[in-house]
Amino acid sequence: MQIPHTPVLLEEVKEIFKNCDEGDFLDCTLGYAGHSKNLLKTHSKLHLIGCDQDINALEFSKKSLENFKERIQLYHCNFSEILDKIHTNNLRGILADIGVSSLQLDKNERGFALNSDFLDMRMNQDSPLSAYEIVNFYPKEKLAFIFKEYGELKDSESLAHKICEQRAKKEIKSAKELFEIIGKMRFDNRKILKATLLFQALRIEVNQELDALNRFLMRLENLRLKDCILAIICFHSLEDRMIKNFFKKWSKACICDNLALKCECGANHNLGRILSKKPIVPSEDEKRNNSRSSCAKMRVFHFQN
């Protein structure tokens, strides 16, 4: 069964988990199972636990992984919830690819793309909040906050004002209409469109992506996993910053105050070590073959305690 989505950093993921020969492997954002299918082929004793909030992706993956059905366990949920649903004692690998899949972007009815006839952006289509509600009913101040915090747009207030002016005349019903309102202005004279960053900010708000990531990382911190490798692929600077800070915190042995003259905590508080001092990024070949991989960054941590 052909996977309708090119998994990002596939070779790098295979290399990171090359020693995960048995035990449980958790794919927190299964998507169309590109990464997991390759790992199941390579490691015959590996048991896959996968989850995704997109039911369409989950149903596709169930069929795609039919040959491995004795070794898989699938859940329909957000990745921030999965660790509360499973036994974690035997976890040896965890992968979270927290980007939007190409198929979600390309499907007109999902409302992610700039030229879509819909305004949705929900990864979980059972969720009550869509981009339509945000764009048409959020107060101007809240829109400006989202654009500034999640899109890092300096003119967030003027963009919010422009949207509010238009929606006062008539409802904004499609991504295409919203794109026309924002226009083709570039961000800081670079190639990226301001509309792209604004859409990204809306998607983060719709799906509560930063909150989900924070909950997931906090849950991992409290689990105190042993001999488990965690790899997280993200596509946004705010996500990458959060992951980097958590990994840095987890690798610190001493948690004494910086002003302390000597260590009094025992210097045994680290959960493991960082395996990627710098984020792992796609090769130039991968970027040429899959332009959507260009923003991807992967960080890796080894829980050892």
Side-chain angles (χ1 to χ4, degrees):
M1 193 171 183
Q2 185 68 34
I3 295 171
H5 167 71
T6 305
V8 173
L9 292 165
L10 178 59
E11 294 306 315
E12 290 82 358
V13 167
K14 287 162 68 175
E15 176 65 21
I16 286 162
F17 295 109
K18 66 181 179 182
N19 293 322
C20 286
D21 293 321
E22 54 187 348
D24 292 339
F25 179 84
L26 172 60
D27 190 335
C28 302
T29 48
L30 185 64
Y32 293 88
H35 292 110
S36 288
K37 192 170 188 177
N38 275 276
L39 291 171
L40 285 169
K41 284 178 181 177
T42 308
H43 305 284
S44 60
K45 294 182 180 179
L46 202 62
H47 174 257
L48 171 69
I49 302 169
C51 78
D52 205 288
Q53 59 185 335
D54 187 329
I55 192 65
N56 294 328
L58 208 59
E59 288 173 353
F60 176 92
S61 292
K62 188 176 181 180
K63 294 176 183 176
S64 179
L65 299 172
E66 179 70 21
N67 292 339
F68 309 99
K69 62 183 178 182
E70 303 301 324
R71 293 197 281 135
I72 65 171
Q73 189 178 354
L74 303 182
Y75 294 85
H76 178 217
C77 66
N78 185 276
F79 72 96
S80 65
E81 304 164 337
I82 187 61
L83 292 167
D84 292 320
K85 297 178 180 291
I86 64 172
H87 296 293
T88 59
N89 294 341
N90 204 32
L91 276 179
R92 294 295 170 262
I94 303 172
L95 173 66
D97 176 355
I98 54 178
V100 184
S101 77
S102 297
L103 211 65
Q104 287 172 326
L105 288 169
D106 293 338
K107 276 191 174 181
N108 182 44
E109 65 269 23
R110 299 302 296 270
F112 284 99
L114 297 176
N115 61 350
S116 174
D117 296 308
F118 299 85
L119 190 55
D120 194 322
M121 301 190 191
R122 289 174 298 172
M123 291 182 183
N124 180 353
Q125 292 182 290
D126 293 332
S127 174
L129 182 66
S130 73
Y132 171 83
E133 280 78 30
I134 293 171
V135 168
N136 286 287
F137 302 110
Y138 267 27
K140 182 171 71 173
E141 295 74 20
K142 195 168 182 180
L143 281 177
F145 174 82
I146 291 167
F147 300 156
K148 181 180 179 181
E149 291 298 309
Y150 302 156
E152 300 178 288
L153 289 160
K154 297 172 185 174
D155 55 346
S156 58
E157 290 187 13
S158 65
L159 290 169
H161 179 73
K162 189 180 286 191
I163 289 170
C164 291
E165 274 192 327
Q166 290 299 317
R167 77 185 189 187
K169 299 173 185 175
K170 69 180 185 70
E171 286 184 353
I172 302 166
K173 295 183 177 180
S174 71
K176 191 184 296 182
E177 286 178 67
L178 182 58
F179 182 30
E180 288 174 1
I181 293 166
I182 303 305
K184 295 183 178 180
M185 298 177 289
R186 301 282 172 181
F187 178 72
D188 284 352
N189 297 317
R190 292 187 287 176
K191 287 184 179 180
I192 192 166
L193 293 169
K194 285 188 178 182
T196 300
L197 297 176
L198 186 141
F199 273 53
Q200 177 180 267
L202 286 172
R203 195 200 75 215
I204 289 172
E205 175 68 10
V206 168
N207 299 290
Q208 295 295 295
E209 293 174 33
L210 293 175
D211 286 343
L213 178 59
N214 185 68
R215 290 196 304 273
F216 174 66
L217 293 168
M218 286 295 297
R219 187 71 181 93
L220 280 171
E221 183 175 314
N222 294 329
L223 277 177
R224 306 281 165 168
L225 295 171
K226 295 181 179 179
D227 192 21
C228 179
I229 293 175
L230 166 68
I232 306 180
I233 302 171
C234 70
F235 297 79
H236 191 283
S237 60
L238 295 177
E239 293 168 338
D240 184 58
R241 196 176 306 149
M242 186 187 296
I243 296 161
K244 179 183 177 181
N245 288 338
F246 265 92
F247 283 14
K248 186 177 178 180
K249 175 185 174 186
W250 293 346
S251 65
K252 284 186 71 173
C254 176
I255 58 171
C256 292
D257 190 285
N258 291 333
L259 298 176
L261 295 176
K262 64 176 183 177
C263 175
E264 297 178 353
C265 71
N268 60 353
H269 294 273
N270 59 308
L271 302 182
R273 65 190 182 95
I274 298 169
L275 298 185
S276 55
K277 295 300 180 183
K278 292 183 178 180
I280 299 166
V281 297
S283 66
E284 292 304 316
D285 279 347
E286 180 172 2
K287 289 178 186 177
R288 279 192 293 270
N289 294 326
N290 179 14
S291 60
R292 287 175 178 165
S293 72
S294 59
C295 296
K297 291 180 179 179
M298 177 164 62
R299 294 186 185 270
V300 188
F301 189 89
H302 187 191
F303 291 102
Q304 295 173 310
N305 296 333

